Amino acid sequence: MHARLLVLHVLVLTLLAVLAVRLYQVQVVRGQEFVTRAAETRTRTVMVPAVRGQILDAAGRPLVRNHTALVVSVDRIGLIRMPDGGLSVLKKLGAVLDKPVKLLQKRITPCGPGVGKPCWTGSPYQPIPIDDKVNTREALQILERQEEFPGITAEVHSVRQYPGGEAGAQMLGYLQPVTQAELEKREGLKAVFSGVDLVGRDGLEYVYDDVLRGKPGLRRVQVDRMGKALGVEQEVPPVSGDTLVTSIDSRVQAVVEEALQHAMKNAPKADGAAGVVLDPRTGRVIALASAPGYDPAVWAGGISASGYQRLLSDATGKPLVSRALNGQFAPGSTFKVSSVTAMLRAGYPLKGTYDCPGSFMVGDRPFNNFHGIGLGPMNLHTALVKSCDTIFYRSGYEQWLKDGGLHPSKPPKEVFANTARAFGFGKRTGIDLPGESSGRIPDRAWKKAMWTQTSGTACKRAKTGYPEVADKARADFLKRLANENCLEGFLLRAGDSANFSIGQGDVLVTPLQLARAYAALVSDGKLRSPRIGWATVRPDGKLVKRIPVPVVGKLPLSEKERLYIKDALSQVPSDGTAAGAFTGWPMDKIRIGGKTGTAEVWGKEDTSWFASFAPTQHPRFVVVVMVSQGGMGASTAAPAAREIYEGIFGIKRPPALPHGRTASVLPRFAPDGTVEGE
């Protein structure tokens, strides 16, 4: 018994000694550390998001602006730590906002495999905005009963607003939450991330995101043990993002959008259209439109799975995709400005006479003029005005033979392909927008590369045929074609070169590339990389910097040759293929030049093109219109271009641009950052 008591005493004394040592460590050795930590738990550091900069047109009118809204956000991490995973809080919140709990749960669920929209694409550690259309009464219910809504906040935020509706939606872009991957990947973003920031996902919002986003502020708030705010300990105000001034004119943009809608309505099978307006003197973009479009406001507050699929659906025409810079189409006869230049580089005389028969034999196959009509002898000027195909077929075929035909013995010159590249085709223009397509210039190297990729499929089809094709004649043709591609698909054939010369076959360009090429042709021969951004301006109205338009090349033409081609194009709307579309136009006051294009597409209606400029003497505008499945260029695209010029110059209605002048002076800003005179 005595031994047991002794052991118990020793044990108690040992425990007391351990406790004394621990108390000494806590109170003396690490006392200051724990005091500091305790003090830190009585403060909360809040990053205050900056107001995002506006996007303005060339006259200072807003293309994208901010408006204040009450936004309810959820701290998902805080909710899932609750015993019921925050379900009771979400039920109360759903009752206040009149939203089903399942929808709220979906909105705060991180996106991932098997998780459909709406879901949360941002960082899991930031508050998740779930409603940006909250009224004051709903917000007060949350704020006044904060103990019932832990992890729920209702604050005033700035929300993006698009005064033009659908106008230029693909060009302007949209905002989405910052993802955790972006925080780790984008240098400097994590350091200035406010926790509720949105970043640009497309268009100008993406390219100029760093400029527009601004710098968040800091607020350190003292709180009690229940988390209730007691006072502000420190505050650093946020710095608003800079304003982006663009060269876009919102009135011209609206005119182009309307013209595209009319063009598609008048061509029943049309499934898309694009319009580009450039200032050829500067290379700046005045309007950039794509149809069908969409309202960028759909991104605010999160987009549903069905809404997102609609933006990418073939059935709705993929409105999220900009046909102006992403759409790739055969350019048809608008491409002949490059082919005429190639002929000159190959040694054909500028003022020579060329026969324009109704048909020209390329090898053992006839290549026909439009409707097989022969126009007799003519010069290159008339060949452009009347759009004779057979002159170009002949020159393309002759140059193919000169290069060695199917089996060149030395490196071929490929003058047509190389001239097209000098016009900027086959590569991106470098415009200040993301995701631009490069188009395609199908030369011998391209043919070989394509054959390497597709020969396996072609050879398989050469054996199996196309049993799924009901039309036997069609199936037999496809099988023969597959066999030909299997054996000789790497060869550039004579027909390929003939089609290339009139912008058909495998040639693809974007409407923006074509507009850029025509701008160089009718101005000074210099190829520029178009720009939409013109300048950035601080919130106090002071200019930060101008955004230059770089010169990236020069057309392979002498000044005499360039003016010769320009003069020929100047007659197309009055005496050539576009004359019908411009009947009654006051050419004596405002002369328009251009070129129609009608590109055949197998199994579909033709692609309709019109590339133009005005006034012809000293061009201030280049207008390119493309209508997919629109039919002939003279019947669909050219009338749409005429409608755009009517809007610009004030024919039948007040002018979109007074006196037809593009902006050359930046808007004037007041000290508060507003535009003077607006």
Side-chain angles (χ1 to χ4, degrees):
M1 185 67 179
H2 180 73
R4 289 180 180 178
L5 287 175
L6 181 62
V7 171
L8 182 62
H9 285 144
V10 170
L11 180 61
V12 170
L13 290 172
T14 302
L15 290 175
L16 289 174
V18 170
L19 180 60
V21 171
R22 183 59 181 158
L23 286 173
Y24 177 79
Q25 288 179 324
V26 170
Q27 294 183 354
V28 179
V29 177
R30 302 183 64 188
Q32 187 58 46
E33 177 186 347
F34 287 118
V35 168
T36 302
R37 287 190 181 184
E40 287 177 350
T41 59
R42 292 198 297 269
T43 63
R44 294 289 185 271
T45 299
V46 180
M47 297 287 282
V48 182
V51 175
R52 194 171 177 88
Q54 297 186 93
I55 302 176
L56 308 178
D57 80 349
R61 294 179 290 263
L63 299 172
V64 183
R65 65 187 175 196
N66 301 307
H67 74 100
T68 56
L70 280 166
V71 179
V72 171
S73 300
V74 173
D75 177 8
R76 180 175 179 274
I77 298 299
L79 288 189
I80 61 179
R81 287 174 177 169
M82 297 178 184
D84 62 350
L87 181 61
S88 59
V89 175
L90 289 179
K91 285 181 178 179
K92 294 176 184 177
L93 183 61
V96 172
L97 301 180
D98 192 25
K99 293 183 182 294
V101 175
K102 286 188 177 180
L103 176 61
L104 298 180
Q105 288 176 320
K106 287 187 70 176
R107 285 197 179 279
I108 66 174
T109 300
C111 294
V115 179
K117 293 181 179 293
C119 56
W120 178 240
T121 61
S123 168
Y125 303 108
Q126 71 182 92
I128 302 172
I130 58 169
D131 196 338
D132 63 355
K133 296 179 177 64
V134 180
N135 59 42
T136 305
R137 181 183 61 81
E138 293 168 337
L140 286 175
Q141 289 184 66
I142 296 170
L143 294 174
E144 291 178 350
R145 296 152 48 199
Q146 193 66 58
E147 68 281 357
E148 296 182 27
F149 296 95
I152 310 298
T153 59
E155 296 178 325
V156 174
H157 290 284
S158 63
V159 179
R160 285 311 230 190
Q161 189 178 53
Y162 305 87
E166 293 189 3
Q170 300 95 340
M171 170 185 64
L172 297 173
Y174 58 93
L175 303 180
Q176 286 284 273
V178 182
T179 65
Q180 190 64 30
E182 277 179 309
L183 286 179
E184 302 298 333
K185 182 179 179 181
R186 290 177 61 173
E187 186 178 349
L189 180 59
K190 195 170 188 178
V192 297
F193 176 56
S194 71
V196 294
D197 279 327
L198 301 176
V199 294
R201 279 283 182 267
D202 198 8
L204 297 174
E205 293 276 26
Y206 173 81
V207 173
Y208 293 100
D209 182 66
D210 290 343
V211 171
L212 294 167
R213 193 172 58 247
K215 296 180 180 179
L218 174 73
R219 184 186 299 131
R220 186 167 285 114
V221 183
Q222 294 178 334
V223 297
D224 61 16
R225 63 186 182 87
M226 298 298 293
K228 184 177 181 180
L230 301 175
V232 177
E233 184 178 283
Q234 181 187 9
E235 187 164 13
V236 178
V239 178
S240 298
D242 291 342
T243 294
L244 174 66
V245 182
T246 71
S247 56
I248 297 296
D249 188 286
S250 56
R251 294 168 300 184
V252 178
Q253 182 73 31
V255 167
V256 176
E257 301 271 357
E258 186 178 356
L260 295 186
Q261 293 299 326
H262 293 163
M264 290 184 65
K265 185 177 180 181
N266 294 332
K269 292 187 178 180
D271 56 7
V276 182
V277 182
L278 297 183
D279 181 346
R281 301 166 299 180
T282 64
R284 296 198 181 278
V285 182
I286 300 171
L288 191 73
S290 176
Y294 75 98
D295 186 351
V298 299
W299 298 101
I303 188 171
S304 66
S306 60
Y308 185 66
Q309 289 303 317
R310 178 191 171 278
L311 296 181
L312 295 173
S313 170
D314 288 323
T316 58
K318 295 183 177 180
L320 189 59
V321 178
S322 171
R323 285 168 170 79
L325 68 152
N326 297 124
Q328 302 180 98
F329 309 89
S333 292
T334 60
F335 192 71
K336 288 176 180 174
V337 294
S338 172
S339 295
V340 166
T341 305
M343 290 177 65
L344 298 177
R345 298 288 67 76
Y348 293 85
L350 178 65
K351 296 185 178 180
T353 299
Y354 304 86
D355 189 31
C356 180
S359 179
F360 176 75
M361 293 298 293
V362 177
D364 58 356
R365 176 187 167 192
F367 277 65
N368 299 322
N369 222 358
F370 183 67
H371 289 324
I373 299 173
L375 301 175
M378 62 180 62
N379 56 22
L380 291 177
H381 179 286
T382 306
L384 286 171
V385 175
K386 301 300 182 182
S387 203
C388 173
D389 288 338
T390 48
I391 288 176
F392 296 99
Y393 289 145
R394 178 188 294 274
S395 60
Y397 178 52
E398 289 174 346
Q399 291 307 303
W400 177 80
L401 290 173
K402 193 173 180 180
D403 278 345
L406 289 174
H407 306 287
S409 58
K410 56 184 179 180
K413 292 184 178 180
E414 296 191 287
V415 64
F416 276 79
N418 288 327
T419 300
R421 290 192 188 90
F423 268 75
F425 300 122
K427 58 186 176 184
R428 297 179 180 89
T429 68
I431 189 173
D432 49 346
L433 288 176
E436 182 185 9
S437 298
S438 60
R440 183 169 67 205
I441 296 301
D443 57 7
R444 295 173 188 269
W446 176 84
K447 286 285 288 187
K448 189 172 183 179
M450 280 299 296
W451 180 81
T452 301
Q453 295 176 24
T454 62
S455 59
T457 302
C459 293
K460 181 179 179 181
R461 283 293 192 173
K463 293 179 180 179
T464 64
Y466 291 81
E468 72 276 13
V469 177
D471 186 339
K472 187 176 184 305
R474 178 68 185 165
D476 289 342
F477 168 77
L478 291 174
K479 185 176 181 179
R480 290 195 303 272
L481 184 63
N483 185 62
E484 186 178 341
N485 286 331
C486 172
L487 299 176
E488 297 183 336
F490 58 90
L491 297 175
L492 185 76
R493 301 183 180 92
D496 296 328
S497 294
N499 277 326
F500 186 104
S501 70
I502 63 162
Q504 290 276 184
D506 293 313
V507 181
L508 296 177
V509 306
T510 69
L512 180 63
Q513 285 176 331
L514 194 65
R516 193 257 294 255
Y518 271 71
L521 182 67
V522 304
S523 58
D524 56 6
K526 294 179 180 178
L527 206 62
R528 293 174 171 84
S529 179
R531 288 293 179 271
I532 297 173
W534 189 3
T536 55
V537 179
R538 280 195 341 210
D540 61 4
K542 291 185 179 180
L543 177 68
V544 178
K545 72 170 183 176
R546 293 176 183 267
I547 300 167
V549 179
V551 174
V552 294
K554 191 178 187 303
L555 299 185
L557 283 164
S558 68
E559 185 70 1
K560 179 182 178 181
E561 293 167 338
R562 187 181 66 77
L563 293 176
Y564 181 91
I565 296 174
K566 177 187 171 187
D567 182 58
L569 298 178
S570 299
Q571 285 190 246
V572 171
S574 57
D575 306 311
T577 54
F582 285 88
T583 300
W585 180 269
M587 290 290 181
D588 56 330
K589 296 180 180 178
I590 307 166
R591 191 167 187 83
I592 294 172
K595 188 77 189 75
T596 56
T598 305
E600 296 179 0
V601 182
W602 186 85
K604 295 183 178 181
E605 295 296 312
D606 296 341
T607 303
S608 179
W609 287 92
F610 190 62
S612 62
F613 55 98
T616 56
Q617 193 66 25
H618 300 289
R620 298 195 297 272
F621 306 95
V622 162
V623 175
V624 167
V625 174
M626 183 285 305
V627 183
S628 175
Q629 297 208 76
M632 292 178 59
S635 62
T636 304
R642 173 176 177 153
E643 186 177 342
I644 293 170
Y645 283 120
E646 287 176 346
I648 289 174
F649 291 109
I651 310 295
K652 298 182 180 179
R653 58 167 146 181
L657 288 176
H659 310 296
R661 293 182 178 177
T662 53
S664 57
V665 179
L666 284 168
R668 294 174 60 87
F669 289 85
D672 61 357
T674 58
V675 178
E676 293 182 351
E678 283 296 309

